[in-house]
Amino acid sequence: MVVMVEFIGLALLAIGIKLVLSIIVPRIIVWIKRRRYLYQIREYVEQLEKMDAEYKPEKPDVEMASRCKEYMSQMFPDGVNERTKNMSDEELIAFFQNLVADVQTLMDVNVDKVEFYSTDNPPACYSCGCYIHSERAIRINAAFILSRNPLLVEEQVYTIFHELMHARQWAAIEGKLYDTKDYGYSDEQIDSWTRNFQNYVPSYVSDELYRKQPVELCAFGFENLLKGENNTDVVS
């Protein structure tokens, strides 16, 4: 009997250890990957930590924000929720697809692929969306749109502007490189985006550095311009 109890105790202990390890080990692996990546770009991180974290829009952004705000006032005269609350799921996704097309025109950018996704896998399930330059694709989290949560639905509208700002940043970089169209951004601005994309910090590595880095600072800053949360003083 004693042997049986000891056996059961050891079995339960083994199960407990296995459970704990299944939780802890993946977290340790993620932590190691984060530290390793930050070490690889440590020189840029040191510079990033010293950078001014205030968004200072240049003239092209201010002019574009004016166009986009006018569009928003026409598209959502009574707010995003009032415009979208009675739409079916199919109508809502179709509405957002049209938004992406309109905003591309407003921001003078083109993407080759627009994907509305839904997944339970992190980090994508926590993300509002992303722009993938290698595919010239924009991905928008459809789960947030179809949640019917008014705040999430509205945030996804602004996510479109945010992600297409990244497409515009890349277009400006390539425009300067190939002497085509850089939208009028300063050389300093374009150079800072170029260096940042070469040393990009994902949010899962460091949320603080993610938001402070130039490409995200500008994208969030422009998004907030549309929300009326930032001033429009132009950097000369």
Side-chain angles (χ1 to χ4, degrees):
M1 184 69 177
V2 174
V3 174
M4 180 62 72
V5 171
E6 290 179 350
F7 177 79
I8 293 174
L10 289 172
L12 291 175
L13 178 61
I15 292 172
I17 292 173
K18 184 177 181 180
L19 179 61
V20 170
L21 289 176
S22 69
I23 296 172
I24 294 177
V25 170
R27 294 184 180 182
I28 293 175
I29 292 173
V30 170
W31 182 84
I32 291 173
K33 287 181 178 179
R34 288 173 180 169
R35 300 308 303 173
R36 184 176 297 166
Y37 182 73
L38 287 174
Y39 180 77
Q40 290 173 347
I41 61 170
R42 61 191 180 280
E43 291 183 5
Y44 184 76
V45 168
E46 290 175 0
Q47 296 174 19
L48 188 57
E49 290 173 338
K50 299 174 183 177
M51 287 182 187
D52 182 8
E54 180 183 0
Y55 172 57
K56 299 174 181 177
E58 294 194 341
K59 186 176 179 181
D61 281 357
V62 174
E63 293 176 346
M64 182 171 62
S66 178
R67 298 194 302 271
C68 292
K69 289 172 76 171
E70 177 63 23
Y71 169 81
M72 290 286 285
S73 67
Q74 294 176 5
M75 184 63 68
F76 305 105
D78 300 311
V80 173
N81 183 53
E82 193 65 29
R83 178 69 188 271
T84 61
K85 66 181 181 181
N86 294 321
M87 293 181 181
S88 67
D89 287 355
E90 293 75 14
E91 290 171 335
L92 196 52
I93 294 299
F95 180 77
F96 268 80
Q97 288 173 331
N98 289 333
L99 275 180
V100 174
D102 287 348
V103 176
Q104 285 185 79
T105 300
L106 284 168
M107 298 181 70
D108 193 16
V109 293
N110 292 291
V111 297
D112 296 333
K113 182 180 179 182
V114 179
E115 178 184 355
F116 289 87
Y117 72 90
S118 182
T119 179
D120 294 327
N121 298 325
C125 63
Y126 305 126
S127 172
C128 291
C130 64
Y131 172 70
I132 306 172
H133 184 62
S134 60
E135 302 175 12
R136 297 190 181 273
I138 181 175
R139 302 185 75 233
I140 302 295
N141 192 335
F144 289 175
I145 297 172
L146 300 178
S147 70
R148 300 294 174 169
N149 180 317
L151 294 178
L152 287 178
V153 175
E154 182 172 359
E155 186 59 34
Q156 290 306 78
V157 170
Y158 290 106
T159 293
I160 292 172
F161 290 94
H162 180 114
E163 300 308 334
L164 287 177
M165 173 56 80
H166 290 320
R168 185 175 165 100
Q169 290 165 344
W170 272 109
I173 291 170
E174 293 177 342
K176 178 186 175 184
L177 180 64
Y178 300 114
D179 196 24
T180 54
K181 178 173 60 179
D182 60 15
Y183 303 103
Y185 290 112
S186 68
D187 288 345
E188 180 182 6
Q189 179 73 88
I190 293 176
D191 288 344
S192 74
W193 289 341
T194 303
R195 181 160 167 72
N196 188 184
F197 278 128
Q198 293 169 345
N199 299 275
Y200 187 79
V201 182
S203 59
Y204 65 83
V205 170
S206 169
D207 187 67
E208 180 184 358
L209 294 177
Y210 162 76
R211 290 178 173 273
K212 190 177 184 181
Q213 61 192 330
V215 294
E216 294 298 345
L217 185 68
C218 290
F220 279 113
F222 180 75
E223 185 181 336
N224 289 335
L225 272 183
L226 302 185
K227 295 176 180 178
E229 297 175 3
N230 272 348
N231 65 52
T232 54
D233 293 337
V234 181
V235 176
S236 58

